[in-house]
Amino acid sequence: SHVVVHVTRGTAALLNEGLWQPIAGEVPLQQEATIRTEDGEITIRLHDDAVIRLAPYTTVVLHDVLNRPSAENSGMTTLSLQQGKIWVLGLLPRPLEALHIGTDQGQVDVQEGSVSVGDNGDTVVVEAWDRSAIFSRRARPTSLVAGEQLTIVNGTSSLTHIEPSRYDESWIASNLTRDAVHQREIAQMQQERRAAAAGILPDSTLYPAKRLAEAVDVLFTFGSEAKAKKLITQANTRLNEAAALISRGSGSDATAVLQEYKQTLLSVASGSGGNANVDSLLKQEVVEKAIAQTAAALPNDDAYALKEAVRQTIAE
């Protein structure tokens, strides 16, 4: 999915060549953009990586429109909050790089979870509503977990607990509800993408021919790196097949395919002999691509089995 900004209520504007232009409908963003809300609210969707919502009378500069993981956005500030308040839903599990939110008092890093950030110049308030966040000022990090609030006034910070009644506030409750809906939509989309790329499935009479073709392809591939690349590609095919089987309600068949996914990648890792190029291929496929493309799944989602298989493979 692209980076998209759209107004959820009221009015908002996008700075274009020095002029503020009203935002109507959904607007795709392909480069850095300055956005402000007036009496309205805005939602920014960052690929599959995050959702950022702007409260009324908020101005931000969106710097990073690249899809993660990308070497180009390593260390880049994702968004600068100039004034107002934003809500961030992160869908970036470790070891992927966090979203970096710049404020007047320091930087807020969000991986997974729901975090709000307010900035009026002298005071920055960071509130972790789900999961966690890290606030850094002059390379000195402060960690927050769900239910904690960090207030920074002219460089002096204090960490307190969020009052339970705050969860009932309209803006908070609404954003938490929308986060749950959006995350399930992303998880479904990620699973459907994989299922669409699966090709012939294990319950097809043509599946043995598909596997024979894969084996022959590896057999006639020379060089350890080239062979490893073919096996990694085939492991990714197993992950796609599992997604397709799960979407058809064949979860038991998917379990065996996911086990084969894991064993294939473990055999590549154990047979690499420390080859840096093979290790790099594994990192790119498993740590970056696979976990990024299953990140949104929650424990009660069908697609969570894919996420767990990827996590277990990384761990082993």
Side-chain angles (χ1 to χ4, degrees), residues 75-312:
M76 179 187 295
T77 299
T78 308
L79 177 143
S80 295
L81 174 58
Q82 295 188 339
Q83 65 176 15
K85 190 171 185 178
I86 63 172
W87 183 281
V88 182
L89 166 64
L91 297 169
L92 292 166
R94 291 178 176 81
L96 297 181
E97 186 174 356
L99 301 165
H100 304 304
I101 309 298
T103 74
D104 289 329
Q105 299 289 329
Q107 178 174 284
V108 183
D109 293 339
V110 181
Q111 298 269 171
E112 291 181 285
S114 303
V115 177
S116 62
V117 185
D119 187 349
N120 67 5
D122 294 333
T123 304
V124 169
V125 178
V126 183
E127 295 168 307
W129 302 98
D130 180 45
R131 302 295 183 95
S132 62
I134 297 174
F135 177 82
S136 300
R137 177 180 171 87
R138 296 173 182 170
R140 295 172 60 185
T142 301
S143 297
L144 297 82
V145 296
E148 290 185 332
Q149 170 183 308
L150 182 68
T151 304
I152 307 97
V153 182
N154 294 323
T156 301
S157 61
S158 61
L159 186 64
T160 57
H161 289 286
I162 298 172
E163 291 293 328
S165 60
R166 296 277 315 284
Y167 283 85
D168 295 326
E169 292 179 8
S170 175
W171 198 65
I172 307 304
S174 172
N175 276 307
L176 287 171
T177 299
R178 286 188 283 177
D179 284 357
V181 172
H182 182 85
Q183 188 160 351
R184 284 188 170 85
E185 288 176 347
I186 291 291
Q188 181 65 26
M189 182 176 65
Q190 289 176 336
Q191 182 181 354
E192 288 173 356
R193 283 185 195 151
R194 284 199 170 275
I200 300 169
L201 298 179
D203 55 4
S204 169
T205 56
L206 295 176
Y207 192 70
K210 175 182 178 179
R211 298 304 302 272
L212 178 61
E214 288 181 350
V216 171
D217 190 22
V218 172
L219 182 64
F220 286 97
T221 298
F222 302 99
S224 58
E225 291 176 25
K227 201 178 287 280
K229 192 170 185 178
K230 289 284 177 68
L231 289 170
I232 291 170
T233 299
Q234 290 177 14
N236 187 61
T237 300
R238 302 290 86 78
L239 203 59
N240 293 342
E241 291 169 358
L245 289 167
I246 289 170
S247 67
R248 289 169 47 171
S250 303
S252 57
D253 293 335
T255 300
V257 176
L258 289 173
Q259 182 64 24
E260 189 171 353
Y261 161 80
K262 182 167 67 173
Q263 291 303 323
T264 299
L265 290 174
L266 290 176
S267 69
V268 173
S270 62
S272 71
N275 185 307
N277 291 333
V278 173
D279 291 344
S280 177
L281 286 170
L282 282 167
K283 179 183 177 184
Q284 184 179 23
E285 179 59 42
V286 187
V287 177
E288 295 179 353
K289 287 185 180 179
I291 195 139
Q293 294 166 6
T294 58
L298 295 168
N300 56 346
D301 294 335
D302 291 338
Y304 193 71
L306 304 180
K307 185 175 182 177
E308 276 296 283
V310 173
R311 287 183 180 277
Q312 290 171 12

Side-chain angles (χ1 to χ4, degrees), residues 7-12 37-42 54-58:
V7 180
T8 50
R9 72 172 181 86
T11 58
T37 55
E38 294 163 4
D39 62 341
E41 294 185 8
I42 271 183
L54 279 60
Y57 307 106
T58 296

